[in-house]
Structure formats: C-alpha cells, structure tokens
Amino acid sequence: SQFLTGDTFDSVMNYKLSFALGDLFLDKGDAKAADYELTVLRQNYPKEAFYDLMNIVDSHDTVRAIYKFGGGSDSVAQPTKKDFDYNLGKARLKLAATFLMGYPGMPTIYYGDEAGQYGSGDPDCRRTYPWGEEDEELLEFYRGLCAVRAENPALTDGSIEFLEARGGLLLYVRGDAGERVLVAVNRTAETQS
C-alpha cells in the first residue's frame, strides 16, 4: 500500500483478492476467512487506490482459474480437458467472476477466461485465445455480468458492506441511499437463504 499514496503507482494487480477467492472457491478456506482477508485489504489501501485496484482472478503468471477451480494440477505441463473437471471449474469461475464484477475496483479479465481457456503454470497459462473454440455459454455469462455492472453505478462507485460470511456463502451490498445492489455467491451445493 506504500506505493499507492499518490506519488508512485495509480494501481496494482490485486493478487491478494485473487488468493482470497482461490481459497474460498477451492474449499481451502471458508467465507469468514475470505471476509477477513478482504477486510484487511480494504483497510490497507486509501479509498481512492482501493477503488482503482486491478481486481483479478488469474493472470499471465498464474495457473488459469478455470483449470485451478476444476482441480487441475500445476505440475501437469500441458494439460487437456481430461486433466481437470471443466464443468466444476466453470461453475466456480462464474462465482468468482460474479464476485469480481460487483466488488470495488476494476474487474480485470485475463484474456480467454471468458471463453473457457485453461492452462497450468507459466508458460502454459499464456495459451492464445481459443478462436473458434470459445465456450459460448461462458461468453454470454461474462457479457451479462459486464452489462449489469455498466448499468448500475452502485457497482462502480458505491460503498461496500458485507452482510453475511459463513461456510461457502458470501453476501455484500454495494451502493448508497439512491441505489443498492446485493451480490451473493454460494460455493456450496446446498440452497442458502
């Protein structure tokens, strides 16, 4: 955070958010642990810097999220879809993307994530965009999320308040008196209320 006080960087890639979401969606931690990490993150940055962080799920030097969320091992040099559970990875990626699109900061999508690109550790994570082989359903999901964010100023400028963090359930609300948007993610198979 010392680099974000107005005289060094305007923003940085938010790996701490990526790690917190990875732990949550891989069952390495629960929603309460993720809430704690995210609270520390919010407290460590000036508000202006916090709202400008490049929020990521994965990047050019990490295992692709869909592969990681599907149980893929970074020890496999060039995995195929047989090396991980694509559908589980996709379901968890959708949860992470939903969280990301609602959270303060700049949601940053690593090219190909929205199309179902997978890969293990660097350099395999840098595979090219899957032109002609995109997961069309996943693309539509991302388009929908982007549209919701664009249509709701509360998701770009609004305050954030966490309402619930238990087990695999994480709920927060964004906005102000004029507009409030609830964002809810549930990584469990059980219906929550």
Side-chain angles (χ1 to χ4, degrees):
S1 65
Q2 73 228 32
F3 300 111
L4 296 169
T5 57
D7 60 355
T8 309
F9 297 131
D10 293 320
S11 184
V12 293
M13 295 174 77
N14 195 351
Y15 281 96
K16 292 191 180 286
L17 173 69
S18 173
F19 300 152
L21 293 179
D23 286 350
L24 175 64
F25 296 124
L26 287 172
D27 300 332
K28 292 181 178 178
D30 63 8
K32 189 173 182 177
D35 179 37
Y36 173 80
E37 291 299 323
L38 296 170
T39 298
V40 169
L41 183 64
R42 286 192 307 277
Q43 292 171 345
N44 283 344
Y45 292 100
K47 182 179 180 185
E48 296 78 11
F50 177 70
Y51 275 72
D52 283 340
L53 289 174
M54 293 175 59
N55 293 336
I56 60 173
V57 178
D58 59 2
S59 76
H60 63 288
D61 59 5
T62 66
V63 172
R64 288 276 185 164
I66 197 168
Y67 179 70
K68 174 176 64 177
F69 290 158
S73 169
D74 59 358
S75 65
V76 178
Q78 293 180 325
T80 67
K81 282 189 176 177
K82 295 177 183 176
D83 294 309
F84 71 109
D85 185 336
Y86 181 84
N87 291 326
L88 176 61
K90 180 177 168 177
R92 289 175 170 174
L93 178 60
K94 286 179 172 182
L95 289 174
T98 299
F99 183 94
L100 202 67
M101 287 295 170
Y103 201 69
M106 300 179 293
T108 306
I109 302 167
Y110 182 42
Y111 77 93
D113 280 356
E114 75 282 15
Q117 183 58 284
Y118 60 90
S120 63
D122 196 4
D124 192 55
C125 57
R126 299 175 191 234
R127 293 180 187 199
T128 60
Y129 186 89
W131 295 109
E133 298 177 16
E134 298 95 335
D135 181 324
E136 292 295 333
E137 191 272 332
L138 191 56
L139 274 171
E140 282 304 309
F141 182 81
Y142 269 88
R143 286 185 187 116
L145 284 179
C146 291
V148 168
R149 184 173 174 93
E151 294 165 4
N152 292 281
L155 294 176
T156 56
D157 302 324
S159 63
I160 183 167
E161 176 187 357
F162 276 82
L163 304 176
E164 187 78 40
R166 63 178 160 82
L169 183 65
L170 197 54
L171 284 87
Y172 62 90
V173 67
R174 295 285 314 277
D176 53 34
E179 178 188 31
R180 292 171 57 85
V181 177
L182 176 69
V183 178
V185 293
N186 175 14
R187 73 142 194 247
T188 71
E190 295 94 35
T191 301
Q192 303 283 335
S193 61

